Amino acid sequence: MCGLEVKTDKLKPCPFCGGEARIQVTDDEGNLKSESYLENPYSGVGYVIVHDENNSTDCCPIATNFDEIQGRYIYTSKQEAIDAWNKRVNDDSDKENEND
């Protein structure tokens, strides 16, 4: 890729179970909000990853209870959340960036 960063709005499957994750709107304190909150965000806007038991296979080691966030990070943009979830240890794009 020669240093070009490819952006995507799609989350990769869970690396443990292959299940789906989703991006959830929050306020600055991490309280889950609906998309309509973005029309009048009275307490800031953030984005978190949700990978709950409803969207995972049995016994996924990182799946949370329904509508609990994945990890403790509140991202400032959807793209930041996507990039964080999609990053993998053996990701070839990381190796290419090291060589630049």
Side-chain angles (χ1 to χ4, degrees), residues 79-91:
Q79 191 61 56
E80 186 181 12
I82 291 166
D83 292 346
W85 176 262
N86 287 349
K87 185 173 177 68
R88 301 292 190 259
V89 173
N90 296 330
D91 192 346

Side-chain angles (χ1 to χ4, degrees), residues 12-21 51 55-57 60 85:
K12 290 181 179 179
C14 173
F16 295 98
C17 73
E20 292 182 16
H51 175 58
N55 294 312
S56 67
T57 60
C60 179
W85 176 262

